[in-house]
Amino acid sequence: MERILDNIIIFICCSVFLFSFGTSKAVIASICISIIYACLTIYFDKFIINLFLFIAVLLLVLLSNTLTYYIPLFCYPFFHTSYTYVCVPAVFVLYLHNDELNILAAASVLLLSVLSFILKIRTDSYLEDHRHFEEIRQNLKDYNTNLNLKNRELIEKQDYEVTNATLNERNRIAREIHDSIGHTLSSSILQLAALTAVVRDEQIASHLKEVNDRLTDGMNSIRASIHNIHEESVDLNLKIREMVNSFDFCPIDYIYDVEQDFSSKAKYALIYIVRESLTNIMKYSNATHVSLNISELPGFYKIIIHDNGTAFSSSSVAAGMGTVSMYDRINSLGGTINITKNNGYRIYITIPVETKITGQK
């Protein structure tokens, strides 16, 4: 855009000087030729094409002295470049028309040439500054994107550590309740049962049995609560991410897109399958990339474990107890599992969503 404005300014100035010396058909033709030349040089903006156009108009200048006034416009594309020397023939052409041009006309052409050169320097400087500014802006944009990415990773890592610490603390509390209170209650229940058996007084025996029943109910409630705490403390996404982060054999693309949680048995089955699959990849495959996708679809969960290995010992895996256990665990969940080794080691698993709700295996 800036170069278009420069060409318009130079063209207007040259035309004003040309009209000051009269008008004719040659003047109109010169105006048309100069407009065509300026448009072509701006559109193509290539040295070879501009040079060809420049030579063509110089030949026309030899035939028409009115075109001499547009020499500043013709030389503009080559000013302030390594090809400025191309403009030297224009000076020779101007000298050839010296007899036809008066001193004022020649001076005006030279003055406009200087103006054209100054405009070209100004425009090139502006475009260079603009290009440098765009580079800085793009770099700042990239830095900002990277900073936001690092910030998100830091927040995710912090959330991960907080969640992991919370689950570990819940497990610790559940174990302490089971080991201390559970042991005490179990001993008390056994002792009350023994006392009830030896006491002869039926009234005392009845009270002892009532206390024993209440302690038994309390013990059962504690066990149920501990079981629920332990079940809820198993975060499938967290456990699998730990395995992914510790897997240094090759990069893993891990995606977890599940809204409803799995049942406890399904969680342990999937943890086992993922661990077994990653172990098999390390032992038998030459994979350089692994994808692990756990997602929830209408009616069922989909689990895909796939690597790009080209060498996989089928005999080492097909008859292994680990693979047999995978099939048994998924079948007990009412799901399906398919293992292929054509294009890398691939495990495709589906589990009904109802498995999570009913706990049926």
Side-chain angles (χ1 to χ4, degrees):
M1 186 64 186
E2 288 72 19
R3 289 177 178 172
I4 294 177
L5 292 176
D6 288 350
N7 278 271
I8 292 174
I9 293 173
I10 298 170
F11 171 78
I12 293 174
C13 293
C14 293
S15 298
V16 169
F17 278 105
L18 179 60
F19 282 125
S20 65
F21 294 99
T23 59
S24 63
K25 293 181 179 180
V27 171
I28 303 301
S30 299
I31 292 174
C32 293
I33 291 172
S34 62
I35 292 175
I36 294 172
Y37 174 85
C39 293
L40 291 176
T41 54
I42 293 173
Y43 178 77
F44 290 104
D45 195 21
K46 293 183 178 180
F47 172 73
I48 297 298
I49 297 177
N50 290 348
L51 180 61
F52 174 79
L53 294 173
F54 183 70
I55 294 174
V57 293
L58 284 185
L59 293 177
L60 293 176
V61 170
L62 291 174
L63 301 177
S64 175
N65 63 339
T66 54
L67 277 175
T68 307
Y69 291 92
Y70 291 99
I71 286 179
L73 181 66
F74 300 151
C75 294
Y76 176 83
F78 306 100
F79 283 150
H80 196 235
T81 66
S82 57
Y83 306 105
T84 306
Y85 60 86
V86 173
C87 301
V88 174
V91 179
F92 176 73
V93 172
L94 181 63
Y95 175 76
L96 292 179
H97 286 288
N98 186 40
D99 295 336
E100 302 174 8
L101 300 176
N102 56 36
I103 297 177
L104 180 60
S108 64
V109 172
L110 293 176
L111 179 62
L112 289 177
S113 298
V114 174
L115 175 63
S116 176
F117 187 81
I118 294 173
L119 288 175
K120 187 63 182 299
I121 293 176
R122 181 197 64 84
T123 300
D124 288 347
S125 177
Y126 170 79
L127 292 177
E128 178 63 24
D129 292 341
H130 182 71
R131 183 190 63 80
H132 183 63
F133 170 77
E134 287 297 325
E135 289 181 356
I136 295 176
R137 189 177 68 85
Q138 185 61 39
N139 290 335
L140 290 176
K141 184 178 179 181
D142 294 339
Y143 291 149
N144 186 51
T145 301
N146 293 332
L147 183 61
N148 290 335
L149 180 61
K150 295 294 184 182
N151 188 41
R152 285 197 299 269
E153 291 177 353
L154 183 61
I155 292 174
E156 291 176 359
K157 184 177 180 180
Q158 183 179 10
D159 293 341
Y160 166 81
E161 292 177 350
V162 170
T163 303
N164 192 29
T166 302
L167 295 178
N168 290 335
E169 182 63 17
R170 291 171 66 179
N171 278 330
R172 185 189 66 81
I173 294 173
R175 285 194 302 268
E176 288 184 357
I177 293 175
H178 180 271
D179 295 340
S180 60
I181 299 178
H183 178 72
T184 302
L185 289 177
S186 297
S187 300
S188 299
I189 291 171
L190 290 175
Q191 291 176 3
L192 285 174
L195 287 173
T196 303
V198 299
V199 169
R200 299 301 181 183
D201 191 327
E202 292 183 359
Q203 185 176 4
I204 296 176
S206 176
H207 288 302
L208 289 175
K209 186 177 182 303
E210 184 179 352
V211 173
N212 186 37
D213 292 340
R214 291 183 178 180
L215 288 176
T216 301
D217 292 340
M219 182 65 183
N220 292 333
S221 298
I222 291 175
R223 285 177 177 174
S225 299
I226 292 174
H227 177 75
N228 291 334
I229 291 175
H230 182 67
E231 181 175 331
E232 293 174 359
S233 64
V234 178
D235 189 322
L236 180 62
N237 184 25
L238 191 64
K239 293 296 183 182
I240 294 180
R241 188 169 293 278
E242 288 178 353
M243 288 187 282
V244 169
N245 293 336
S246 62
F247 185 78
D248 54 3
F249 180 77
C250 64
I252 299 182
D253 285 340
Y254 173 54
I255 298 175
Y256 187 88
D257 185 16
V258 175
E259 294 183 0
Q260 301 185 67
D261 201 8
F262 290 89
S263 65
S264 179
K265 188 174 181 180
K267 290 179 182 179
Y268 286 109
L270 293 179
I271 291 172
Y272 170 81
I273 290 173
V274 171
R275 182 184 295 112
E276 183 69 18
S277 300
L278 296 180
T279 300
N280 288 339
I281 291 172
M282 288 191 295
K283 287 183 177 180
Y284 308 114
S285 177
N286 63 347
T288 59
H289 182 269
V290 178
S291 61
L292 173 55
N293 189 322
I294 301 177
S295 56
E296 180 182 350
L297 300 176
F300 66 95
Y301 300 103
K302 180 182 70 174
I303 300 94
I304 299 177
I305 306 171
H306 184 213
D307 71 69
N308 64 346
T310 57
F312 204 103
S313 176
S314 301
S315 59
S316 301
V317 180
M321 291 299 297
T323 304
V324 174
S325 181
M326 289 184 191
Y327 281 96
D328 292 341
R329 290 171 184 266
I330 297 302
N331 290 334
S332 68
L333 294 170
T336 61
I337 178 172
N338 183 32
I339 300 178
T340 61
K341 309 176 188 70
N342 296 329
N343 297 315
Y345 185 66
R346 185 175 185 270
I347 300 177
Y348 185 89
I349 299 171
T350 60
I351 301 175
V353 172
E354 288 75 15
T355 299
K356 177 210 55 105
I357 300 174
T358 63
Q360 297 296 324
K361 310 301 178 189

